Amino acid sequence: GAGVSQTPSNKVTEKGKYVELRCDPISGHTALYWYRQSLGQGPEFLIYFQGTGAADDSGLPNDRFFAVRPEGSVSTLKIQRTERGDSAVYLCASSLTAGSYNEQFFGPGTRLTVL
Amino acid sequence: ELKVEQNPLFLSMQEGKNYTIYCNYSTTSDRLYWYRQDPGKSLESLFVLLSNGAVKQEGRLMASLDTKARLSTLHITAAVHDLSATYFCAVDEVIGNEKLTFGTGTRLTIIP
């Protein structure tokens, strides 16, 4: 079946602009996660949704970052007033549910470059 | 704050050799995950380890978990070139809050 998909695959923007990154989780997965991966590093947690609500947004670096999942499926990560330091690969993952354990399946990522 | 450390960070080995990657973490957890990442690609789930003493094997890779030592190992047997990739371990600290904390990764290069 289809895996996690993310669009766009690449996004180049200028400093100060607004960007939206989209994630389509695996059908039926109720939990959705956003991570950010800088070059040569492991992914870092940003935010986690269980259904429509953000269960944990402790990883969002500041108030320029916001994410929504209005219908409990597709999620959008929104970054306002982008900065060069926001350049990274943004990974989305989904899992069947939050519960006894959590095998997360990752999408291909969106590579964001802020000039 | 949960910290996850891997070593080595870089590993270059010849085909046919055996080696082990180590993953240490700083807090109590009995859920550990191993992922593989090829250059420019996303993460592929390899193993899910859910209890002390858990051991899982797939092909030339074997992962184990010692929750008392807060240590997981990924053992590579008779390495082949196709195993060249970056390997990450990740820890899931709290049941009900499913965020993963990843190690820094081990970049493995298998030399023919």
Side-chain angles (χ1 to χ4, degrees):
Chain A
V4 178
S5 63
Q6 293 184 245
T7 54
S9 56
N10 282 283
K11 176 70 177 178
V12 180
T13 191
E14 294 179 342
K15 180 176 178 292
K17 299 290 188 183
Y18 168 82
V19 297
E20 290 189 350
L21 312 179
R22 176 187 168 107
C23 172
D24 280 271
I26 293 171
S27 178
H29 281 195
T30 61
L32 184 147
Y33 315 80
W34 284 99
Y35 293 85
R36 178 167 72 173
Q37 186 175 24
S38 299
L39 191 63
Q41 302 294 316
E44 294 179 309
F45 171 79
L46 295 176
I47 186 170
Y48 147 59
F49 289 89
Q50 179 59 43
T52 60
D56 184 345
D57 64 358
S58 62
L60 295 178
N62 52 59
D63 61 6
R64 295 186 298 105
F65 288 75
F66 189 70
V68 295
R69 195 186 184 199
E71 299 179 358
S73 179
V74 171
S75 176
T76 305
L77 178 65
K78 307 179 181 192
I79 310 174
Q80 298 178 322
R81 305 183 304 279
T82 51
E83 299 178 356
R84 292 193 180 89
D86 299 335
S87 296
V89 175
Y90 289 81
L91 295 167
C92 176
S94 69
S95 67
L96 189 58
T97 186
S100 60
Y101 84 94
N102 169 30
E103 184 173 13
Q104 296 181 17
F105 297 89
F106 283 79
T110 294
R111 182 176 299 276
L112 175 66
T113 303
V114 182
L115 301 177
Chain B
E1 178 188 347
L2 172 59
K3 292 189 186 302
V4 182
E5 295 183 345
Q6 289 181 236
N7 71 84
L9 299 182
F10 298 93
L11 176 57
S12 180
M13 54 191 291
Q14 288 186 317
E15 280 190 328
K17 299 291 187 182
N18 304 333
Y19 210 81
T20 300
I21 298 170
Y22 297 88
C23 174
N24 291 90
Y25 54 97
S26 64
T27 192
T28 302
S29 175
D30 58 1
R31 302 188 300 176
L32 189 134
Y33 309 81
W34 284 96
Y35 286 88
R36 168 182 171 145
Q37 187 174 40
D38 292 292
K41 305 292 186 183
S42 192
L43 287 90
E44 174 191 354
S45 178
L46 294 176
F47 299 109
V48 179
L49 303 169
L50 299 176
S51 61
N52 186 41
V55 177
K56 291 197 174 178
Q57 183 163 5
E58 181 73 32
R60 300 174 187 273
L61 300 178
M62 183 174 71
S64 65
L65 178 61
D66 181 342
T67 59
K68 294 178 181 177
R70 300 178 184 175
L71 171 68
S72 180
T73 60
L74 181 66
H75 187 73
I76 303 149
T77 301
V80 293
H81 181 67
D82 287 352
L83 292 179
S84 296
T86 299
Y87 293 85
F88 292 96
C89 63
V91 175
D92 184 354
E93 184 178 4
V94 179
I95 293 175
N97 184 340
E98 314 301 327
K99 66 182 182 184
L100 297 180
T101 301
F102 283 82
T104 49
T106 297
R107 183 177 293 181
L108 175 64
T109 303
I110 309 297
I111 303 167

